[in-house]
């Protein structure tokens, strides 16, 4: 059996401890898979004396990052400390020192992923980051495998557990957003400051990572159009249900020839869409490839055990490549120039809920506005608004360009009979395109 | 770069041609992943002169199986010819000649899988068979990866596209089984002789393969309790819908400590179950592991492109192991003795539809029969049967043992007020256990 492969960890929180435990407890299985043993050489922590729920000899602990990233005995660096700017520097140094890197850090990968992958490739190193997107789902490996003999044109993901938990509860119980958010915070499903989850930023980071890999284009966080769930109301969810849809916060990435669009937004999914039944804190990513067709990966999006498991799977990948002598080749660095779609190249159906003055001819004025641009309705509900002189109109349009739709919205707002545009969401049917 | 790895194919039908094409068209990507090139050395066909939709020089073709399985230049045998008995002999010979094998043959693996895996392991050879279960879904790799650091206790699969297509159509259109089967045959979704699909045998084979790998026990085809979809009526589907369920042909594998049960049967799934929205010819496998929790893999179950892609992925796995010198170690041969659950160890909810004489006290007699065994009802519908003196009663029971349920069924049939037990299916809620 060949020489042991040595691992250095940056961080020993719940994920880091999980990784150390799996490596200790599965030594036999790991060496069987790889053909050589693996050892944890050094672990960088903030406080050496802290009581931890994993056994590790104190001489393996250090408070000095250099002891891992400059350590000639460390082959693979596992980064589970979090953070962006400083962490980027550490990983760059590790890669330049010819160390392979496994990271669970989505904030880092969303912002500096392409740079880090390029440096990894230049140094003949692997940089694996499966745990950064939907911990319990082997989606990046699935995409990479698929890419070897397929072309991916569309990805849709429920990639944030907090917002999916909130929307599921709102839908099931008919409760208001604030109420459910509070409950989610008490249950530990939402942070005290939930902004990055409910505002869509967390999902946007993951979509930037997925789209970069899946389309082999450098998709930056700024390229992702983001709308969170804070404005979604009980009424929106109830109407959606009535019309046969489920509302989810959907990360959407679509390629049309060389043009690409990536967004995160509350979306009405047809109830029969595979993603519609992904409930509570679960995540799922739906992928369309030209050869394989539709596939979906479903599982826990977070949690220390699933995430640690994903990190160890990546470590096994690095170790296999080390022994094969093929490191730095399997990482896919963006190959194609990025061309973001313009508003007239984006097409979808839309859900629109508006309040209009309950006058004769009001509805006719609306329909004229839409039909002038060739947009017709697929579904319509009209009801009086109790205790007012207003009527509530809910429509689902047929497919229209984003450009036409925005212009219609603007004109609607200017119509004297329109009191208020209450809400507007993207609608996704079943099947592809 | 190291010496090329040579492949021999048994069979050159649509899947075999797909494999050859992928190998030819993705040479660069494949050698990048593995660290050496791959060559198709020899292909065994029935008829050399047949016109094919893949280019291959005639000296690579042979009608003699020996040219592959005894060929000292062949490292990996890809079996895509089908068949069971003869094919088993070929693969055994290949393995004994130290050739690694990739197969897409579920009939073979369901019957001789454990034997072949053992012989492979004894000869230090890999035997990979991802394409034998749900071609487009990397489920076996998912299970094997998961197994490295988890314990799988439950699997549920929609693993037959034909029956899922039929049940989906029956549910959507309210049509009768025979009618939809005919349509499926015309569309090419069902064979002229659909017995092995609609009778559940095809699904049972795949479940035997999945359970053997997932539980690491030798599950034989005979261990799988099988009920097909031929008796499922429009009425069953309509009542299920009304009660919030979707009927699917579900392959079910459950481990409880050392005891195991595997079945294939029409099952009512709660509409919110992730498998409930898997429609048409699609397949999906839902897996519960103690560490990772619930995951699901969804995709096309068949088709020559997805299947060929799965075969090539397996080939890449074999080639990596070859270069690592770890062949014959990643294949999981059954480790644990098999203990099939007895009827009093199997628990589930049940859907029951019966016709009773419409008399005072009829329903009370039924409930007494159930309550005497501590079984209560979760949902009840009672309606008169038009044009008769009968009432139709549909119930969903709370969880009960199979033993109690069978005895209740027997007693029901003996009750004078019971005209007919129309149907009875397993019911699966959301979540685990």
């Amino acid at each position: 059996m060949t020489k042991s492969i040595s691992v250095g960890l940056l961080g020993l929180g719940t994920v880091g401890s999980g990784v150390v435990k799996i490596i200790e407890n599965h030594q036999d299985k790991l060496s069987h898979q790889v053909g050589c043993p693996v050892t944890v050489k050094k672990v960088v922590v903030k406080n050496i004396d802290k009581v931890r729920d994993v056994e590790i000899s104190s001489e393996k602990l250090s408070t000095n990052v250099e002891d891992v990233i400059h350590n000639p005995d460390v082959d693979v660096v596992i980064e589970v400390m979090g953070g962006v700017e400083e962490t980027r520097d550490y990983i760059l140094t590790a890669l330049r020192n010819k160390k392979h890197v496994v990271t669970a850090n989505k904030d880092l990968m969303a912002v500096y992923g392409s740079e880090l992958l390029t440096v990894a490739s230049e140094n003949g190193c692997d940089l694996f980051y499966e745990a950064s997107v939907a911990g319990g789902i082997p989606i990046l490996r699935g995409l990479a495998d698929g890419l070897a003999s397929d072309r991916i044109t569309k990805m849709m993901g429920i990639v944030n557990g907090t917002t999916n938990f909130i929307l599921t509860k709102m839908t099931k119980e008919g409760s208001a957003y604030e109420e459910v958010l509070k409950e989610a915070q008490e249950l530990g499903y939402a942070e005290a400051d939930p902004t990055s989850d409910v505002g869509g930023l967390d999902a946007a980071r993951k979509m930037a990572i997925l789209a970069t890999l899946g389309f082999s284009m450098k998709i930056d966080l700024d390229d992702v159009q983001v709308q969170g769930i804070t404005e979604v109301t009980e009424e929106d969810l109830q109407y959606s249900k009535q019309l046969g849809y489920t509302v989810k916060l959907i990360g959407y990435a679509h390629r049309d020839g060389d043009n690409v669009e990536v967004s995160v937004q509350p979306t009405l999914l047809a109830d029969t869409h595979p993603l519609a039944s992904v409930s509570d804190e679960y995540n799922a990513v739906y992928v369309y490839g030209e050869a394989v067709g539709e596939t979906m990966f479903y599982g826990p999006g977070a949690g220390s055990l699933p995430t640690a498991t994903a990190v160890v799977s990546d470590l096994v990948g690095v170790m296999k490549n080390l022994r094969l002598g093929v490191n730095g080749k399997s990482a896919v660095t963006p190959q194609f120039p990025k061309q973001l779609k313009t508003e007239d190249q984006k097409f979808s159906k839309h859900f629109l809920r508006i309040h209009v003055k309950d006058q004769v001819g009001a509805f006719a004025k609306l329909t004229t506005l839409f039909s002038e641009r060739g947009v017709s309705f697929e579904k319509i509900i009209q009801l009086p608004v109790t205790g007012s002189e207003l009527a509530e109109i809910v429509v689902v349009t047929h497919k229209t360009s984003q450009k036409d739709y925005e212009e219609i919205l603007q004109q609607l707002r200017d119509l004297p009979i329109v009191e208020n545009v209450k809400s507007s969401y993207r609608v996704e049917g079943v099947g592809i395109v």
Side-chain angles (χ1 to χ4, degrees), chain A:
Chain A
M1 194 155 273
T2 333
K3 155 184 176 295
S4 169
I5 288 173
S6 293
V7 170
L9 271 87
L10 303 180
L12 193 62
T14 51
V15 174
S17 308
V19 170
V20 171
K21 278 187 212 165
I22 296 177
I23 293 178
E24 301 297 328
N25 298 341
H26 296 82
Q27 274 293 346
D28 285 1
K29 280 185 187 172
L30 291 172
S31 23
H32 262 206
Q33 282 183 68
V34 181
C36 77
V38 52
T39 327
V40 175
K41 199 83 187 174
K42 210 79 193 174
V43 181
V44 175
V45 295
K46 274 195 198 133
N47 176 359
I48 292 201
D49 301 321
K50 192 175 155 190
V51 179
R52 297 169 204 283
D53 99 272
V54 61
E55 267 184 62
I56 190 157
S57 70
S58 60
E59 67 262 31
K60 284 192 176 176
L61 298 180
S62 162
T63 53
N64 186 355
V65 178
E66 309 288 312
D67 288 347
V68 163
I69 62 177
H70 280 298
N71 189 332
D73 291 340
V74 166
D75 304 302
V76 186
V77 174
I78 294 180
E79 186 272 302
V80 282
M81 61 188 281
V84 177
E85 297 301 333
E86 249 187 1
T87 314
R88 162 177 170 260
D89 293 339
Y90 298 155
I91 292 184
L92 283 174
T93 306
L95 292 169
R96 290 188 178 122
N97 285 334
K98 313 292 180 204
K99 300 189 186 318
H100 311 286
V101 175
V102 174
T103 176
N105 192 329
K106 64 175 169 291
D107 303 17
L108 176 72
M109 288 306 293
V111 179
Y112 293 117
S114 300
E115 179 198 12
L116 295 173
L117 286 166
T118 304
V119 173
S121 162
E122 285 166 3
N123 286 278
C125 287
D126 284 335
L127 169 61
F128 288 169
Y129 51 102
E130 182 70 77
S132 70
V133 184
I137 313 177
I139 173 66
L140 298 188
R141 223 164 307 140
L143 283 182
D145 276 3
L147 284 169
S149 49
D150 200 353
R151 181 185 154 92
I152 291 162
T153 56
K154 180 171 171 177
M155 288 178 279
M156 283 172 63
I158 295 175
V159 290
N160 179 274
T162 305
T163 47
N164 203 43
F165 178 86
I166 292 173
L167 290 175
T168 304
K169 265 224 171 289
M170 284 177 71
T171 303
K172 272 191 195 151
E173 300 171 2
S175 330
Y177 167 75
E178 290 78 13
E179 199 180 312
V180 177
L181 172 61
K182 217 180 132 213
E183 197 185 336
Q185 286 170 322
E186 285 162 9
L187 288 168
Y189 286 122
E191 309 273 338
D193 176 4
T195 321
S196 110
D197 289 320
V198 300
L201 177 63
D202 177 81
R205 285 182 179 132
K206 293 167 183 165
M207 290 311 296
I209 295 173
L210 284 174
T212 296
L213 177 63
F215 298 155
S216 199
M217 290 178 187
K218 186 175 175 309
I219 304 296
D220 297 316
L221 195 49
D222 285 345
D223 299 330
V224 186
Q225 184 195 325
V226 186
Q227 184 190 347
I229 64 160
T230 52
E231 308 291 317
V232 177
T233 67
E234 315 92 284
E235 290 82 9
D236 295 333
L237 299 185
Q238 293 314 315
Y239 280 118
S240 302
K241 208 180 203 174
Q242 214 174 320
L243 293 166
Y245 297 100
T246 306
V247 180
K248 298 284 180 192
L249 183 67
I250 292 294
Y252 178 85
H254 186 257
R255 170 162 66 179
D256 195 359
D258 290 337
N259 300 322
V260 71
E261 73 174 296
V262 186
S263 68
V264 169
Q265 53 188 305
T267 302
L268 277 72
L269 296 177
D271 283 340
T272 48
H273 194 286
L275 286 172
S277 56
V278 175
S279 298
D280 302 324
E281 75 280 18
Y282 277 88
N283 285 13
V285 181
Y286 171 95
V287 178
Y288 184 81
E290 285 174 357
V292 171
E294 301 175 64
T295 51
M296 188 175 82
F297 299 81
Y298 166 98
S304 54
L305 258 174
T307 307
T309 307
V311 168
V312 174
S313 292
D314 272 354
L315 173 62
V316 168
V318 172
M319 296 196 298
K320 283 191 175 178
N321 285 350
L322 255 173
R323 298 219 46 242
L324 288 169
V326 295
N327 298 100
K329 286 173 183 161
S330 52
V332 186
T333 46
Q335 286 182 290
F336 304 113
K338 166 182 69 188
Q339 291 197 40
L340 294 179
K341 283 196 213 171
T342 53
E343 297 302 285
D344 59 343
Q345 293 173 322
K346 300 179 187 172
F347 291 88
S348 74
K349 299 178 180 187
H350 296 274
F351 167 97
L352 178 68
R353 181 163 71 90
I354 51 181
H355 281 183
V356 300
K357 300 199 176 90
D358 203 356
Q359 299 171 349
V360 177
F363 192 71
K365 279 190 187 141
L366 288 187
T367 47
T368 310
L369 216 153
F370 278 85
S371 64
E372 278 171 3
R373 292 183 183 266
V375 179
S376 55
F377 300 143
E378 192 174 289
K379 291 172 181 176
I380 298 166
I381 298 177
Q382 176 169 355
L383 291 169
V385 177
T386 327
S388 78
E389 298 291 300
L390 299 174
E392 181 153 65
I393 295 179
V394 176
V395 298
V396 173
T397 70
H398 280 291
K399 205 158 270 187
T400 159
S401 80
Q402 191 63 27
K403 181 166 179 287
D404 280 343
Y405 185 69
E406 298 284 349
E407 286 173 9
I408 291 173
L409 267 188
Q410 194 46 56
Q411 288 184 297
L412 268 180
R413 288 196 180 95
D414 295 343
L415 270 192
I417 54 147
V418 171
E419 180 75 15
N420 206 342
V421 174
K422 304 292 284 184
S423 41
S424 164
Y425 305 112
R426 181 186 184 93
V427 174
E428 187 78 15
V430 178
I432 281 305
V433 182

